[in-house]
């Protein structure tokens, strides 16, 4: 398994960055703790809408 630093470096490489941008994605290069914090904030943000619409994961 590659180190996190290796994965971050690859995600920041121009070719990878361009492919991500073409898919409307952005490589942030955050730490695991920062990523968890972002995901928790997104869950709080979107959960009421998802529950209100009755959406379920397949």
């Amino acid at each position: 398994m590659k180190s996190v630093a290796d994965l971050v470096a690859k995600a920041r490489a121009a070719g990878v960055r361009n492919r991500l941008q073409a898919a409307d994605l952005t490589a942030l290069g955050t730490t695991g703790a920062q990523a968890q914090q972002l995901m928790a904030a997104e869950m709080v943000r979107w959960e009421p809408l998802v529950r209100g619409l009755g959406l379920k994961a397949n």
Side-chain angles (χ1 to χ4, degrees), residues 28 30-44:
L28 298 177
T30 60
T31 65
Q34 290 169 321
Q36 286 179 326
Q37 187 177 27
L38 175 64
M39 289 302 297
E42 289 297 303
M43 292 290 290
V44 169

Side-chain angles (χ1 to χ4, degrees), residues 15-29:
V16 174
R17 189 173 53 242
N18 292 341
R19 289 177 64 193
L20 290 171
Q21 287 174 342
D24 291 326
L25 300 171
T26 303
L28 298 177

